[in-house]
Amino acid sequence: MRKVAIANGSRSRLSNYISAIERVGALASELPRKISDSDALNALSGYDALVLTGGGDVDPRLYGEENAFSSDVDPVRDDTEIALLRAAKKSDLPTLGICRGIQLANVAFGGTLWQDLEKNGFQNHFLPEKKLVQTHFVSSVSGGILPDIFGESVSVNSIHHQAVKTLAKGLSATLISSDGVVEGIEDKTKRFFIFVQFHPELLLDTDERFLQLFRRLVDP
Ligand code: MN
């Protein structure tokens, strides 16, 4: 049985992520909250994939900005997840980052974030009361695994107030919302190094393609 590591800095319930992994026939286990750079490769050994989950905002100092509208910043979680991501990239471990996960990945590899979408002229993308509802479309803008799974477009939920601003080198934006927010990025040189702004784990019964994303993670 494939084993999937879930980075766990959130201290919140990971049950939806765990169920999604179990739905595709894999075993999920939570990593320790604090892992150093030098321990990250070791922490991931024995796993077939890595999942980064939703949560608070990435520390804006990590991309050279003062805090403006960023909340629930957690430096231990940032450091741990950046170490895990770099180790996963180095070892070409299939990785799926969700919500905060796309933001963290972009920052880990040198990109920047919009600290608040609405304050910067985008629509409101923070709709927690509609977390199980598909509230806006995202469209495929180039080839990649995400366009391969989702086709021309897909309707997604939206529970975020930040998003990718300047894209990190080595990552490609493959899904974009109708108001221009980057909602899916990937490293096309890797087997499966995929990050999405929406929450596929909450829409598994709504559209088969969200489950497909987890299937490809465990069987790239
Ligand atoms: Mn959105």
Side-chain angles (χ1 to χ4, degrees):
M1 190 181 259
R2 301 285 168 97
K3 285 177 69 185
V4 180
I6 308 183
N8 179 20
S10 67
R11 299 185 196 279
S12 65
R13 290 168 59 247
L14 297 172
S15 50
N16 292 316
Y17 302 98
I18 292 169
S19 313
I21 291 162
E22 290 174 351
R23 282 271 291 270
V24 296
L27 190 70
S29 51
E30 296 169 32
L31 293 173
R33 174 175 157 73
K34 187 173 179 178
I35 298 167
S36 68
D37 284 353
S38 54
D39 289 340
L41 262 180
N42 207 27
L44 292 172
S45 76
Y47 288 104
D48 302 293
L50 169 67
V51 169
L52 297 187
T53 65
D57 296 336
V58 176
D59 189 341
R61 286 176 299 184
L62 293 172
Y63 48 95
E65 289 187 15
E66 294 296 315
N67 190 326
F69 320 116
S70 292
S71 58
D72 297 328
V73 170
D74 179 347
V76 171
R77 184 175 185 189
D78 288 346
D79 290 350
T80 295
E81 293 184 346
I82 288 170
L84 289 170
L85 264 182
R86 290 182 179 155
K89 187 179 181 186
K90 196 183 268 180
S91 53
D92 199 7
L93 184 71
T95 298
L96 175 63
I98 293 167
C99 198
R100 167 191 157 85
I102 186 177
Q103 298 164 9
L104 196 278
N106 193 49
V107 171
F109 300 114
T112 66
L113 303 178
W114 293 111
Q115 290 195 49
D116 189 85
L117 286 171
E118 259 194 301
K119 296 266 194 312
N120 286 283
F122 295 93
Q123 288 163 25
N124 178 18
H125 280 250
F126 185 65
L127 302 163
E129 71 285 357
K130 294 184 177 171
K131 63 183 182 179
L132 305 177
V133 180
Q134 293 162 291
T135 55
H136 70 73
F137 277 94
V138 296
S139 301
S140 295
V141 289
S142 73
I145 291 174
L146 287 168
D148 191 34
I149 292 170
F150 290 107
E152 214 163 276
S153 72
V154 63
S155 186
V156 298
N157 51 4
S158 196
I159 324 170
H160 60 108
H161 79 112
Q162 299 196 335
V164 169
K165 183 160 68 177
T166 310
L167 190 63
K169 231 176 137 183
L171 292 170
S172 304
T174 52
L175 296 178
I176 309 272
S177 75
S178 42
D179 62 332
V181 173
V182 173
E183 297 252 354
I185 63 179
E186 44 192 295
D187 182 334
K188 296 183 183 177
T189 69
K190 299 295 175 192
R191 283 194 293 162
F192 187 101
F193 209 60
I194 301 282
F195 305 91
V196 293
Q197 188 57 79
F198 48 89
H199 281 271
E201 79 285 1
L202 298 175
L203 297 172
L204 299 178
D205 295 314
T206 308
D207 186 320
E208 157 75 15
R209 291 176 287 178
F210 296 112
L211 191 61
Q212 197 60 35
L213 189 57
F214 287 94
R215 247 186 223 121
R216 288 281 287 268
L217 170 70
V218 299
D219 195 8

